[in-house]
């Protein structure tokens, strides 16, 4: 047994004990600042890490709505184009009616070529009873019966007296005449043109020198077919315009057919 002697006093050791944790850190390569194995910015004050770029997810186009909008746009453009063409083709002609009538190919203007034809016959008045003779057949003016032929889009199946028809022309009517042997489909087309149109009328006319003839006061147009576009132009230009009594009616007239005038009012003195 060892015995300590006086003065042999053991001093506490001043050597620091090893820090296992510190040693472990050094052995592992030092996970401190700048360690390549440690995520940047984690824990002990490393620099901020780079932002992660977002991943773009590619999505296919929704072609359904796109096709629908394209179709709607095409339809809208088509409607606009159609409306524009229609308005241009059907734009009302505001030129003077005389100018429009003069442009109709084949029209005869007796007001210029033979104005005396439209005056009463020698020894006759403007209004006369009984049968009258006309230089142009169908007649386009001159003396006429006191009674008009009803001309509110009337379609007569048999001939009508010229004496009444001429009075209707004086009021501004357009009178369409046609050969009795004109095919029925042609007659139907003519009737459709005046159906419900005031100041128009039509009737067959025996011995007509053309299939169809149109009359108004002082004007005449002869055509071969009911599809002739000049018929519509004639009606549009001359109906109501080629009148000698503006404002006169076309209703309340004779509705009977025949070649002899109906002298209604003659015996009673109504004139």
């Amino acid at each position: 047994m060892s015995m300590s002697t006086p003065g042999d006093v053991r001093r506490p050791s001043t050597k620091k004990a090893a820090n296992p944790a510190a040693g472990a850190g050094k052995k592992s390569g030092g996970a401190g600042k700048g360690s390549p194995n440690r995520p940047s910015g984690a824990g002990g004050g490393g620099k901020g890490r780079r932002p992660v770029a977002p991943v773009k997810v590619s999505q296919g186009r929704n072609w359904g709505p796109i096709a629908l909008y394209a179709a709607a746009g095409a339809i809208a453009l088509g409607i606009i184009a159609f409306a524009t063409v229609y308005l241009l083709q059907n734009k009302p002609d505001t030129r003077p009616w005389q100018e429009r009538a003069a442009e109709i190919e084949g029209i005869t203007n007796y007001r210029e070529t033979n104005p005396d034809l439209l005056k009463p016959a020698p020894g006759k008045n403007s209004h006369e009873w009984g049968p009258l003779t006309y230089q142009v057949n169908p007649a386009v003016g001159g003396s006429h019966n006191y009674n008009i032929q009803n001309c509110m889009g009337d379609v007569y199946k048999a001939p009508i007296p010229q004496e009444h028809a001429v009075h209707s022309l004086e009021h501004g009517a357009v009178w369409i005449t046609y050969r009795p042997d004109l095919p029925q489909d042609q007659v139907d087309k003519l009737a459709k043109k005046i159906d419900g149109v005031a100041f128009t009328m039509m009737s067959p006319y025996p011995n007509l020198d053309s299939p169809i003839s149109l009359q108004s006061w002082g004007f005449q147009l002869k055509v071969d077919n009911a599809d002739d576009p000049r018929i519509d132009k004639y009606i549009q230009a001359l109906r109501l315009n080629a009148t000698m009594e503006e404002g006169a009616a076309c209703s309340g007239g004779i509705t009977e057919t025949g070649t002899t005038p109906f002298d209604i009012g003659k015996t009673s003195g109504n004139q």
Side-chain angles (χ1 to χ4, degrees):
M1 174 172 148
S2 157
M3 303 240 351
S4 59
T5 58
D8 186 12
V9 180
R10 293 182 178 270
R11 297 180 180 274
S13 176
T14 60
K15 187 176 181 179
K16 294 182 179 179
N19 188 341
K26 291 181 180 179
K27 289 182 181 180
S28 62
K33 182 177 180 181
S35 173
N37 296 322
R38 186 173 183 178
S40 176
K47 293 182 179 180
R49 59 184 176 181
R50 297 179 180 177
V52 179
V55 178
K56 294 183 179 179
V57 179
S58 178
Q59 296 182 352
R61 293 181 181 273
N62 192 344
W63 291 105
I66 295 176
L68 182 62
Y69 294 146
I75 293 174
L77 289 175
I79 294 174
I80 294 173
F82 175 81
T84 301
V85 173
Y86 178 84
L87 291 174
L88 290 176
Q89 292 179 344
N90 296 274
K91 182 179 179 180
D93 194 338
T94 57
R95 294 176 300 162
W97 70 270
Q98 296 92 336
E99 183 178 340
R100 288 181 281 142
E103 288 185 351
I104 300 175
E105 184 179 356
I107 194 172
T108 301
N109 183 352
Y110 289 104
R111 297 187 182 196
E112 292 182 354
T113 61
N114 192 357
D116 291 339
L117 185 72
L118 309 178
K119 299 177 182 178
K124 298 289 185 179
N125 298 314
S126 296
H127 297 87
E128 293 283 344
W129 298 115
L132 299 171
T133 302
Y134 295 96
Q135 299 180 43
V136 175
N137 292 290
V140 295
S143 298
H144 45 270
N145 195 272
Y146 286 91
N147 301 287
I148 68 168
Q149 190 77 23
N150 209 71
C151 44
M152 297 296 290
D154 295 82
V155 176
Y156 297 100
K157 304 296 185 180
I160 59 177
Q162 290 197 96
E163 293 82 358
H164 298 308
V166 172
H167 196 166
S168 300
L169 302 186
E170 185 183 43
H171 286 195
V174 169
W175 177 28
I176 301 177
T177 56
Y178 58 91
R179 285 178 182 167
D181 61 351
L182 189 70
Q184 187 59 46
D185 66 316
Q186 291 279 294
V187 176
D188 292 341
K189 288 180 180 180
L190 291 174
K192 188 176 181 180
K193 292 180 183 296
I194 68 167
D195 182 27
V197 180
F199 290 85
T200 63
M201 59 185 178
M202 62 177 282
S203 66
Y205 193 94
N207 303 317
L208 191 62
D209 60 358
S210 66
I212 302 169
S213 181
L214 289 80
Q215 288 71 226
S216 53
W217 188 272
F219 295 89
Q220 190 172 66
L221 175 67
K222 296 184 178 182
V223 299
D224 296 328
N225 194 287
D227 294 317
D228 195 314
R230 292 177 295 170
I231 296 176
D232 292 329
K233 292 181 180 179
Y234 186 100
I235 295 173
Q236 292 169 4
L238 298 166
R239 185 182 73 91
L240 280 171
N241 291 321
T243 178
M244 301 304 291
E245 294 184 9
E246 187 174 355
C250 225
S251 59
I254 302 295
T255 56
E256 290 81 1
T257 58
T259 56
T260 303
F262 299 89
D263 291 336
I264 298 176
K266 180 179 179 180
T267 56
S268 62
N270 293 329
Q271 299 181 1

